[in-house]
mmCIF file of all heavy atoms in Angstrom:
data_model
loop_
_atom_site.group_PDB
_atom_site.id
_atom_site.type_symbol
_atom_site.label_atom_id
_atom_site.label_comp_id
_atom_site.label_asym_id
_atom_site.label_seq_id
_atom_site.Cartn_x
_atom_site.Cartn_y
_atom_site.Cartn_z
ATOM 1 N N GLY A 36 77.043 -82.467 15.747
ATOM 2 C CA GLY A 36 78.214 -82.139 16.592
ATOM 3 C C GLY A 36 77.956 -80.777 17.263
ATOM 4 O O GLY A 36 78.589 -79.837 16.906
ATOM 5 N N ILE A 103 84.676 -67.904 7.148
ATOM 6 C CA ILE A 103 83.291 -68.045 7.523
ATOM 7 C C ILE A 103 83.163 -69.512 8.213
ATOM 8 O O ILE A 103 82.897 -70.503 7.568
ATOM 9 C CB ILE A 103 82.368 -67.986 6.327
ATOM 10 C CG1 ILE A 103 82.566 -66.578 5.784
ATOM 11 C CG2 ILE A 103 80.890 -68.242 6.646
ATOM 12 C CD1 ILE A 103 81.715 -66.374 4.388
ATOM 13 N N GLY A 104 83.413 -69.453 9.461
ATOM 14 C CA GLY A 104 83.509 -70.755 10.213
ATOM 15 C C GLY A 104 84.757 -71.463 9.875
ATOM 16 O O GLY A 104 85.585 -70.990 9.031
ATOM 17 N N GLY A 105 84.977 -72.639 10.501
ATOM 18 C CA GLY A 105 86.085 -73.512 10.116
ATOM 19 C C GLY A 105 85.916 -74.018 8.668
ATOM 20 O O GLY A 105 86.915 -74.166 7.924
ATOM 21 N N THR A 106 84.692 -74.160 8.278
ATOM 22 C CA THR A 106 84.465 -74.675 6.883
ATOM 23 C C THR A 106 85.074 -73.594 5.897
ATOM 24 O O THR A 106 85.660 -73.929 4.915
ATOM 25 C CB THR A 106 82.893 -74.786 6.672
ATOM 26 O OG1 THR A 106 82.407 -75.581 7.737
ATOM 27 C CG2 THR A 106 82.709 -75.424 5.281
ATOM 28 N N GLY A 107 84.787 -72.290 6.214
ATOM 29 C CA GLY A 107 85.311 -71.249 5.414
ATOM 30 C C GLY A 107 86.819 -71.251 5.375
ATOM 31 O O GLY A 107 87.417 -71.029 4.300
ATOM 32 N N LEU A 109 88.731 -73.754 5.757
ATOM 33 C CA LEU A 109 89.144 -74.919 4.902
ATOM 34 C C LEU A 109 89.014 -74.621 3.404
ATOM 35 O O LEU A 109 89.841 -74.850 2.560
ATOM 36 C CB LEU A 109 88.328 -76.211 5.145
ATOM 37 C CG LEU A 109 88.607 -76.778 6.501
ATOM 38 C CD1 LEU A 109 87.531 -77.859 6.873
ATOM 39 C CD2 LEU A 109 90.046 -77.585 6.494
ATOM 40 N N SER A 131 86.208 -89.660 7.934
ATOM 41 C CA SER A 131 86.532 -88.249 8.322
ATOM 42 C C SER A 131 85.289 -87.494 8.475
ATOM 43 O O SER A 131 84.178 -88.061 8.118
ATOM 44 C CB SER A 131 87.538 -87.575 7.369
ATOM 45 O OG SER A 131 88.036 -86.317 7.852
ATOM 46 N N TRP A 132 85.318 -86.219 8.838
ATOM 47 C CA TRP A 132 84.122 -85.338 8.683
ATOM 48 C C TRP A 132 83.761 -85.382 7.308
ATOM 49 O O TRP A 132 84.552 -85.169 6.378
ATOM 50 C CB TRP A 132 84.578 -83.958 9.189
ATOM 51 C CG TRP A 132 83.428 -82.924 9.135
ATOM 52 C CD1 TRP A 132 82.196 -82.976 9.678
ATOM 53 C CD2 TRP A 132 83.528 -81.601 8.545
ATOM 54 N NE1 TRP A 132 81.509 -81.900 9.478
ATOM 55 C CE2 TRP A 132 82.377 -80.922 8.730
ATOM 56 C CE3 TRP A 132 84.606 -80.847 7.892
ATOM 57 C CZ2 TRP A 132 82.069 -79.663 8.375
ATOM 58 C CZ3 TRP A 132 84.332 -79.587 7.452
ATOM 59 C CH2 TRP A 132 83.104 -78.974 7.670
ATOM 60 N N HIS A 135 84.820 -82.884 4.555
ATOM 61 C CA HIS A 135 86.232 -82.803 4.007
ATOM 62 C C HIS A 135 86.357 -83.229 2.538
ATOM 63 O O HIS A 135 86.810 -82.468 1.765
ATOM 64 C CB HIS A 135 87.210 -83.653 4.928
ATOM 65 C CG HIS A 135 87.666 -83.019 6.115
ATOM 66 N ND1 HIS A 135 87.970 -83.708 7.264
ATOM 67 C CD2 HIS A 135 87.883 -81.726 6.497
ATOM 68 C CE1 HIS A 135 88.401 -82.886 8.179
ATOM 69 N NE2 HIS A 135 88.312 -81.675 7.821
ATOM 70 N N HIS A 180 93.319 -84.098 11.372
ATOM 71 C CA HIS A 180 92.578 -83.520 12.552
ATOM 72 C C HIS A 180 93.582 -83.190 13.560
ATOM 73 O O HIS A 180 94.197 -84.151 14.169
ATOM 74 C CB HIS A 180 91.536 -84.476 12.888
ATOM 75 C CG HIS A 180 90.531 -85.000 11.927
ATOM 76 N ND1 HIS A 180 89.178 -84.865 12.200
ATOM 77 C CD2 HIS A 180 90.624 -85.436 10.726
ATOM 78 C CE1 HIS A 180 88.496 -85.244 11.097
ATOM 79 N NE2 HIS A 180 89.360 -85.624 10.170
ATOM 80 N N CYS A 183 90.805 -84.226 18.646
ATOM 81 C CA CYS A 183 89.432 -84.619 18.724
ATOM 82 C C CYS A 183 88.850 -85.002 17.458
ATOM 83 O O CYS A 183 87.978 -84.439 16.827
ATOM 84 C CB CYS A 183 88.563 -83.500 19.259
ATOM 85 S SG CYS A 183 89.163 -82.716 20.830
ATOM 86 N N HIS A 184 89.460 -86.123 16.866
ATOM 87 C CA HIS A 184 89.075 -86.723 15.600
ATOM 88 C C HIS A 184 87.515 -86.900 15.364
ATOM 89 O O HIS A 184 86.933 -87.514 16.256
ATOM 90 C CB HIS A 184 89.779 -87.993 15.258
ATOM 91 C CG HIS A 184 89.644 -88.441 13.893
ATOM 92 N ND1 HIS A 184 88.604 -89.373 13.617
ATOM 93 C CD2 HIS A 184 90.359 -88.249 12.761
ATOM 94 C CE1 HIS A 184 88.677 -89.647 12.305
ATOM 95 N NE2 HIS A 184 89.687 -88.957 11.691
ATOM 96 N N ASN A 185 87.034 -86.219 14.432
ATOM 97 C CA ASN A 185 85.606 -86.421 13.999
ATOM 98 C C ASN A 185 85.541 -87.280 12.833
ATOM 99 O O ASN A 185 86.129 -86.990 11.760
ATOM 100 C CB ASN A 185 84.980 -84.986 13.805
ATOM 101 C CG ASN A 185 83.593 -85.063 13.282
ATOM 102 O OD1 ASN A 185 82.969 -86.168 13.267
ATOM 103 N ND2 ASN A 185 83.071 -83.864 12.873
ATOM 104 N N ASP A 213 93.222 -79.378 10.431
ATOM 105 C CA ASP A 213 91.858 -78.829 10.737
ATOM 106 C C ASP A 213 91.704 -78.901 12.282
ATOM 107 O O ASP A 213 91.680 -79.976 12.887
ATOM 108 C CB ASP A 213 90.871 -79.795 10.028
ATOM 109 C CG ASP A 213 89.451 -79.203 10.242
ATOM 110 O OD1 ASP A 213 89.339 -78.199 10.883
ATOM 111 O OD2 ASP A 213 88.548 -79.966 9.848
ATOM 112 N N MET A 214 91.670 -77.704 12.797
ATOM 113 C CA MET A 214 91.537 -77.617 14.312
ATOM 114 C C MET A 214 90.187 -77.028 14.608
ATOM 115 O O MET A 214 90.064 -75.812 14.911
ATOM 116 C CB MET A 214 92.667 -76.762 14.796
ATOM 117 C CG MET A 214 92.833 -76.863 16.302
ATOM 118 S SD MET A 214 94.566 -76.810 16.852
ATOM 119 C CE MET A 214 95.030 -75.110 16.428
ATOM 120 N N ALA A 215 89.233 -77.934 14.611
ATOM 121 C CA ALA A 215 87.863 -77.449 14.866
ATOM 122 C C ALA A 215 87.422 -77.602 16.336
ATOM 123 O O ALA A 215 86.397 -77.085 16.759
ATOM 124 C CB ALA A 215 86.842 -78.243 13.973
ATOM 125 N N TYR A 216 88.329 -78.243 17.124
ATOM 126 C CA TYR A 216 87.902 -78.494 18.486
ATOM 127 C C TYR A 216 89.017 -78.156 19.537
ATOM 128 O O TYR A 216 89.102 -78.786 20.512
ATOM 129 C CB TYR A 216 87.556 -80.005 18.625
ATOM 130 C CG TYR A 216 86.375 -80.416 17.750
ATOM 131 C CD1 TYR A 216 86.530 -80.881 16.495
ATOM 132 C CD2 TYR A 216 85.072 -80.260 18.182
ATOM 133 C CE1 TYR A 216 85.555 -81.207 15.641
ATOM 134 C CE2 TYR A 216 83.996 -80.624 17.413
ATOM 135 C CZ TYR A 216 84.238 -81.110 16.126
ATOM 136 O OH TYR A 216 83.209 -81.452 15.339
ATOM 137 N N THR A 244 90.931 -73.006 11.684
ATOM 138 C CA THR A 244 90.491 -72.843 13.047
ATOM 139 C C THR A 244 88.886 -72.612 12.992
ATOM 140 O O THR A 244 88.387 -71.935 12.075
ATOM 141 C CB THR A 244 91.145 -71.593 13.628
ATOM 142 O OG1 THR A 244 92.523 -71.809 13.743
ATOM 143 C CG2 THR A 244 90.564 -71.355 15.012
ATOM 144 N N SER A 245 88.317 -73.183 13.998
ATOM 145 C CA SER A 245 86.810 -72.931 14.117
ATOM 146 C C SER A 245 86.589 -72.465 15.637
ATOM 147 O O SER A 245 87.116 -73.100 16.492
ATOM 148 C CB SER A 245 85.971 -74.127 13.849
ATOM 149 O OG SER A 245 84.726 -73.991 14.347
ATOM 150 N N PHE A 246 85.707 -71.535 15.790
ATOM 151 C CA PHE A 246 85.257 -71.177 17.172
ATOM 152 C C PHE A 246 83.837 -71.535 17.381
ATOM 153 O O PHE A 246 83.189 -71.218 18.414
ATOM 154 C CB PHE A 246 85.501 -69.674 17.453
ATOM 155 C CG PHE A 246 86.995 -69.277 17.456
ATOM 156 C CD1 PHE A 246 87.516 -68.474 16.554
ATOM 157 C CD2 PHE A 246 87.711 -69.788 18.502
ATOM 158 C CE1 PHE A 246 88.855 -68.100 16.565
ATOM 159 C CE2 PHE A 246 89.193 -69.423 18.501
ATOM 160 C CZ PHE A 246 89.713 -68.575 17.587
ATOM 161 N N SER A 247 83.286 -72.325 16.404
ATOM 162 C CA SER A 247 81.792 -72.702 16.529
ATOM 163 C C SER A 247 81.606 -73.365 17.891
ATOM 164 O O SER A 247 80.707 -72.994 18.594
ATOM 165 C CB SER A 247 81.471 -73.571 15.467
ATOM 166 O OG SER A 247 81.722 -72.930 14.195
ATOM 167 N N LYS A 248 82.501 -74.366 18.149
ATOM 168 C CA LYS A 248 82.237 -75.176 19.343
ATOM 169 C C LYS A 248 82.883 -74.558 20.546
ATOM 170 O O LYS A 248 82.242 -74.424 21.603
ATOM 171 C CB LYS A 248 82.795 -76.513 19.245
ATOM 172 C CG LYS A 248 82.919 -77.044 17.806
ATOM 173 C CD LYS A 248 81.748 -77.924 17.420
ATOM 174 C CE LYS A 248 81.676 -77.831 15.880
ATOM 175 N NZ LYS A 248 80.978 -78.970 15.199
ATOM 176 N N TYR A 253 78.161 -71.119 17.009
ATOM 177 C CA TYR A 253 77.873 -71.887 15.813
ATOM 178 C C TYR A 253 77.327 -71.048 14.646
ATOM 179 O O TYR A 253 77.816 -71.004 13.492
ATOM 180 C CB TYR A 253 76.883 -73.043 15.985
ATOM 181 C CG TYR A 253 77.359 -73.959 17.071
ATOM 182 C CD1 TYR A 253 77.106 -73.701 18.486
ATOM 183 C CD2 TYR A 253 78.032 -75.148 16.733
ATOM 184 C CE1 TYR A 253 77.546 -74.575 19.486
ATOM 185 C CE2 TYR A 253 78.530 -76.062 17.810
ATOM 186 C CZ TYR A 253 78.253 -75.709 19.066
ATOM 187 O OH TYR A 253 78.725 -76.502 20.097
ATOM 188 N N ARG A 256 79.372 -68.117 12.643
ATOM 189 C CA ARG A 256 80.378 -68.519 11.617
ATOM 190 C C ARG A 256 81.781 -67.837 11.772
ATOM 191 O O ARG A 256 82.145 -67.029 10.960
ATOM 192 C CB ARG A 256 79.855 -68.210 10.171
ATOM 193 C CG ARG A 256 78.303 -68.675 9.963
ATOM 194 C CD ARG A 256 78.136 -70.059 10.334
ATOM 195 N NE ARG A 256 78.983 -71.015 9.448
ATOM 196 C CZ ARG A 256 79.738 -71.976 9.934
ATOM 197 N NH1 ARG A 256 79.828 -72.199 11.190
ATOM 198 N NH2 ARG A 256 80.478 -72.743 9.122
ATOM 199 N N VAL A 257 82.415 -68.094 12.866
ATOM 200 C CA VAL A 257 83.724 -67.587 13.095
ATOM 201 C C VAL A 257 84.786 -68.657 13.003
ATOM 202 O O VAL A 257 84.752 -69.561 13.810
ATOM 203 C CB VAL A 257 83.923 -66.806 14.549
ATOM 204 C CG1 VAL A 257 84.097 -65.399 14.456
ATOM 205 C CG2 VAL A 257 82.643 -67.136 15.391
ATOM 206 N N GLY A 258 85.659 -68.381 12.116
ATOM 207 C CA GLY A 258 86.803 -69.378 11.916
ATOM 208 C C GLY A 258 87.897 -68.604 11.216
ATOM 209 O O GLY A 258 87.829 -67.439 11.070
ATOM 210 N N PHE A 350 82.794 -86.658 20.134
ATOM 211 C CA PHE A 350 82.204 -87.825 19.493
ATOM 212 C C PHE A 350 82.635 -89.119 20.102
ATOM 213 O O PHE A 350 83.808 -89.152 20.614
ATOM 214 C CB PHE A 350 82.381 -87.834 18.034
ATOM 215 C CG PHE A 350 81.825 -86.556 17.291
ATOM 216 C CD1 PHE A 350 82.683 -85.634 16.848
ATOM 217 C CD2 PHE A 350 80.471 -86.399 17.274
ATOM 218 C CE1 PHE A 350 82.204 -84.462 16.343
ATOM 219 C CE2 PHE A 350 79.995 -85.287 16.737
ATOM 220 C CZ PHE A 350 80.812 -84.306 16.214
ATOM 221 N N ARG A 376 78.306 -93.227 15.069
ATOM 222 C CA ARG A 376 78.863 -92.026 15.703
ATOM 223 C C ARG A 376 77.746 -91.451 16.648
ATOM 224 O O ARG A 376 76.619 -91.308 16.240
ATOM 225 C CB ARG A 376 79.280 -91.041 14.761
ATOM 226 C CG ARG A 376 79.963 -89.909 15.481
ATOM 227 C CD ARG A 376 80.241 -88.736 14.471
ATOM 228 N NE ARG A 376 79.048 -87.812 14.386
ATOM 229 C CZ ARG A 376 79.133 -86.565 13.866
ATOM 230 N NH1 ARG A 376 80.266 -86.142 13.385
ATOM 231 N NH2 ARG A 376 78.090 -85.859 13.888
HETATM 232 N N1 PMP B 401 86.104 -79.510 10.687
HETATM 233 C C1 PMP B 401 85.616 -80.486 11.416
HETATM 234 C C2 PMP B 401 86.476 -81.723 11.802
HETATM 235 C C3 PMP B 401 84.334 -80.371 11.976
HETATM 236 O O1 PMP B 401 83.841 -81.314 12.749
HETATM 237 C C4 PMP B 401 83.668 -79.107 11.814
HETATM 238 C C5 PMP B 401 82.284 -78.948 12.338
HETATM 239 N N2 PMP B 401 81.399 -79.943 12.468
HETATM 240 C C6 PMP B 401 84.249 -78.194 10.946
HETATM 241 C C7 PMP B 401 85.498 -78.431 10.374
HETATM 242 C C8 PMP B 401 83.463 -76.959 10.502
HETATM 243 O O2 PMP B 401 83.355 -75.993 11.591
HETATM 244 P P1 PMP B 401 82.374 -74.816 11.338
HETATM 245 O O3 PMP B 401 81.076 -75.201 11.911
HETATM 246 O O4 PMP B 401 83.051 -73.746 12.180
HETATM 247 O O5 PMP B 401 82.411 -74.430 9.937
#
Side-chain angles (χ1 to χ4, degrees):
I103 301 177
T106 310
L109 288 165
S131 194
W132 181 49
H135 275 153
H180 298 235
C183 307
H184 187 269
N185 176 7
D213 184 2
M214 194 145 66
Y216 299 94
T244 295
S245 167
F246 293 113
S247 299
K248 332 266 158 160
Y253 303 84
R256 314 305 298 127
V257 246
F350 301 107
R376 188 190 85 165

